[in-house]
Amino acid sequence: MKQIYPVIFPLNLGTAIYLNCVGSDNFNTCVTIYYQLLSAENGALQVGNLYLSGADYQSYNTSNNGNQFIYDWSANQLGVILI
């Protein structure tokens, strides 16, 4: 779990301050990433799946820290900023 700049959800749903990611690599062509945007109380405000493949998968495979790569890539896809 990584801290992010706060993301305020409409209709008083809450403010997300954490991004949690769990990647499942098929060791061939892609990583399926389950993500959660969480409140300070760890309440899930948004959840979903992202799919890392192609050139991004090649970069992930050659990175020094695959876990950090997944967080950075996911944050970029979701439009949130890691702190």
Side-chain angles (χ1 to χ4, degrees), residues 12 19 39 77 81:
N12 294 322
L19 170 63
S39 68
Q77 298 300 304
I81 300 171

Side-chain angles (χ1 to χ4, degrees), residues 24-66:
S24 177
D25 190 341
N26 74 358
F27 300 105
N28 188 23
T29 59
C30 68
V31 177
T32 299
I33 301 164
Y34 172 75
Y35 75 88
Q36 300 170 301
L37 292 175
L38 303 168
S39 68
E41 297 80 20
N42 289 328
L45 299 173
Q46 182 177 326
V47 299
N49 291 304
L50 299 169
Y51 304 97
L52 187 151
S53 62
D56 292 330
Y57 185 75
Q58 297 291 333
S59 296
Y60 159 76
N61 270 333
T62 58
S63 71
N64 291 330
N65 187 337

Side-chain angles (χ1 to χ4, degrees), residues 4-10 12-18 37-43 45:
I4 60 173
Y5 280 103
V7 176
I8 300 170
F9 282 76
N12 294 322
L13 292 176
T15 301
I17 63 166
Y18 297 114
L37 292 175
L38 303 168
S39 68
E41 297 80 20
N42 289 328
L45 299 173

